[in-house]
Amino acid sequence: SLAIEEQFYLLWPAVVYAVSRQTLLRICAGAFVGAFLFRLWVALAGVNYEVGFVLLPGRLDPLAAGAAIAVLIREPGWFDWLVARSRRLGNMA
């Protein structure tokens, strides 16, 4: 797990520096979907299932989700929208 995070944090600053916020969100979405597709490929191809959990492409979804939240939270009004939505969801439970 730590090695995966180290790989991500070695590459991610260069990506953040090189692209716009909108492109960064697209990259996060692509990484999120790509991680799922990678794990699906591992399962369907008969590759050892551990490959999907120990290689960076298979573990990008939580890192991409966190990176997307970090980008979005800097948008004006987004945090307030998130808090209101969370309260609404909390009241439904």
Side-chain angles (χ1 to χ4, degrees), residues 51-81:
V51 169
F53 293 100
V54 299
L55 295 180
L56 180 61
R59 304 308 305 165
L60 270 177
D61 42 347
L63 296 168
I69 290 170
V71 171
L72 290 171
I73 205 153
R74 288 177 170 74
E75 296 293 323
W78 190 85
F79 185 74
D80 296 331
W81 176 87

Side-chain angles (χ1 to χ4, degrees), residues 3 6 19 26 28 30 33-34 40 44 52 54 56 58 66 68 75 83 89-90:
E6 288 174 353
V19 301
R26 288 184 183 130
C28 289
V33 171
L40 181 64
L44 295 177
V54 299
L56 180 61
E75 296 293 323
V83 168
L89 287 172

Side-chain angles (χ1 to χ4, degrees), residues 11-66:
L11 300 172
W12 193 245
V15 174
V16 171
Y17 181 75
V19 301
S20 68
R21 281 185 174 188
Q22 191 66 26
T23 302
L24 198 55
L25 287 173
R26 288 184 183 130
I27 291 170
C28 289
F32 192 87
V33 171
F36 170 75
L37 293 175
F38 178 79
R39 288 194 306 268
L40 181 64
W41 171 79
V42 166
L44 295 177
V47 177
N48 185 341
Y49 76 94
E50 291 177 349
V51 169
F53 293 100
V54 299
L55 295 180
L56 180 61
R59 304 308 305 165
L60 270 177
D61 42 347
L63 296 168

